[in-house]
Amino acid sequence: MWNLNYSSASEIKKILEENSLAMSKKFGQNFLLSESAREFIVSSLEIESTDTVFEIGPGLGAITALMIKKAKDVYSFEIDNGFCSLLKNKAFRDEENFHLVPGDALKTLFSINVKPSLIAGNLPYNVGSIIIARLIENDVTPRRMVFTLQKEVVERMVAKNKSSSYSSFSILCQMDYEVSLEKVIKSTSFYPSPNVDSAVVVMKKREKVLVPPFMRSFFISFNRAVFLQRRKNIKNNLRTFCSPDFTKEELDELIKKAGLTGSERAEDFSFDELLSLASIFFSRLEK
Ligand code: SAM
């Protein structure tokens, strides 16, 4: 393993220059300079020696370096060709438990035939929430996931009903996981500094599933549909979702059966309330 000082912006700049590499804004490249924050991410992951960890966006390997010391295997998914070459040929050339998966993680995460027990990453700003949503939608739900994202995105992940940050993404994240904002990381802890602060989110797999497996994919679509247009009430959003399967009268009847008027908005519903509503619609569709 090389001995790059990951806490030093000037050393990072130097290694990039020496290898004729430039940083790319479009890939959301912000290196985490704070050693304590990197250690916090890795300790929050609770790695055991039998674990297979997926890391999204290793960059130059600042977090990877800590994880390969603890895990059985680390698979790092990196889109930047220049970074890939440094990781493979210099940083972790001799580490047998380091596996590089080059390319767009949105594709490669689902194309390799390995199941992770943990997932982590200081996620690229532009696709962080999309990556998390894709993982859950594709039922890639390891024991624990720990990410660094913009603070505002983490606030959406942990939000409860009636809060302005609450959305279908909150429900999706909380479906299989207990989600908590564990630490705020100031923007100055990154190189280059982004405009906003970040936060570490810890996602701990629930011991008991909330959504029965046979209803999982229906619930994911239902959740997306009820939040589709935030300004619209539940009845209007459900009308679009149920069309053309339900008549207007059937829709009214189901809403009444759920004890609702139809004028409620999705953001009013707690997770459990949304799940009971979805169950009523699911039973009708299964008939
Ligand atoms: N882990 C490093 C750190 O903490 O210093 C770098 C994190 S940086 C915020 C995000 C990393 O994700 C960059 O290395 C970037 O090239 C990579 N990246 C961006 N989009 C990606 C994608 N779609 N698939 C895989 N990696 C991506």
Side-chain angles (χ1 to χ4, degrees):
M1 195 184 301
W2 66 3
N3 62 353
L4 176 69
N5 178 1
Y6 288 112
S7 305
S8 159
S10 58
E11 279 212 27
I12 291 175
K13 246 192 262 178
K14 192 163 150 242
I15 196 101
L16 294 176
E17 273 164 23
E18 281 169 4
N19 290 278
S20 313
L21 298 177
M23 290 180 64
S24 155
K25 242 192 173 169
K26 75 170 184 231
F27 292 147
Q29 295 171 343
N30 301 91
F31 297 107
L32 183 50
L33 298 177
S34 158
E35 187 176 7
S36 63
R38 295 194 299 267
E39 278 166 358
F40 183 82
I41 293 168
V42 176
S43 67
S44 304
L45 203 52
E46 299 187 354
I47 302 176
E48 290 168 16
S49 57
T50 50
D51 276 319
T52 296
V53 184
F54 278 10
E55 183 196 13
I56 301 161
L60 297 180
I63 301 170
T64 330
L66 300 173
M67 297 197 297
I68 51 184
K69 288 186 191 146
K70 298 186 164 200
K72 177 167 169 277
D73 286 295
V74 176
Y75 288 80
S76 295
F77 296 75
E78 176 55 61
I79 200 167
D80 186 305
N81 288 331
F83 292 180
C84 283
S85 138
L86 279 182
L87 290 166
K88 196 166 75 167
N89 303 319
K90 295 198 172 152
F92 307 122
R93 196 181 47 197
D94 303 321
E95 319 305 317
E96 284 181 1
N97 63 341
F98 170 73
H99 313 275
L100 179 68
V101 188
D104 182 352
L106 282 168
K107 294 181 189 137
T108 52
L109 276 168
F110 309 102
S111 65
I112 73 161
N113 207 7
V114 179
K115 214 172 166 250
S117 49
L118 300 168
I119 304 185
N122 170 18
L123 294 183
Y125 276 21
N126 44 350
V127 287
S129 53
I130 303 174
I131 290 176
I132 296 173
R134 288 278 172 84
L135 287 169
I136 299 170
E137 284 164 2
N138 285 283
D139 212 353
V140 180
T141 53
R143 186 172 91 239
R144 228 170 158 87
M145 302 202 269
V146 179
F147 300 113
T148 302
L149 291 144
Q150 296 103 308
K151 183 166 160 272
E152 174 218 322
V153 176
V154 175
E155 282 165 355
R156 282 173 47 213
M157 294 173 74
V158 302
K160 299 288 184 214
N161 52 325
K162 300 188 167 81
S163 121
S164 60
S165 304
Y166 192 59
S167 68
S168 59
F169 187 49
S170 323
I171 293 279
L172 189 67
C173 293
Q174 293 167 31
M175 181 170 73
D176 300 314
Y177 289 91
E178 285 164 26
V179 190
S180 52
L181 186 163
E182 291 289 335
K183 187 184 179 69
V184 173
I185 307 179
K186 289 273 162 214
S187 63
T188 47
S189 299
F190 296 87
Y191 167 71
S193 275
N195 295 330
V196 293
D197 290 343
S198 294
V200 177
V201 64
V202 173
M203 304 176 72
K204 184 175 161 230
K205 185 94 180 256
R206 293 184 186 282
E207 277 172 20
K208 272 197 189 152
V209 288
L210 298 179
V211 180
F214 58 85
M215 231 185 93
R216 187 183 161 88
S217 67
F218 176 84
F219 183 71
I220 290 172
S221 314
F222 187 87
N223 170 42
R224 209 179 292 130
V226 290
F227 278 98
L228 194 63
Q229 301 209 42
R230 281 188 84 94
R231 281 155 175 259
K232 285 195 174 177
N233 64 30
I234 198 124
K235 186 167 163 183
N236 283 328
N237 277 330
L238 280 172
R239 187 172 292 147
T240 315
F241 178 65
C242 296
S243 164
D245 297 333
F246 292 13
T247 62
K248 186 180 166 302
E249 289 69 30
E250 280 174 313
L251 179 60
D252 286 342
E253 194 196 314
L254 285 182
I255 287 177
K256 205 167 152 201
K257 190 171 168 193
L260 303 172
T261 64
S263 63
E264 299 84 355
R265 288 178 203 283
E267 66 218 45
D268 297 330
F269 294 92
S270 68
F271 189 100
D272 291 346
E273 287 164 344
L274 196 70
L275 181 56
S276 359
L277 183 62
S279 308
I280 291 173
F281 278 77
F282 182 72
S283 312
R284 158 65 178 77
L285 280 169
E286 285 296 278
K287 263 188 195 166

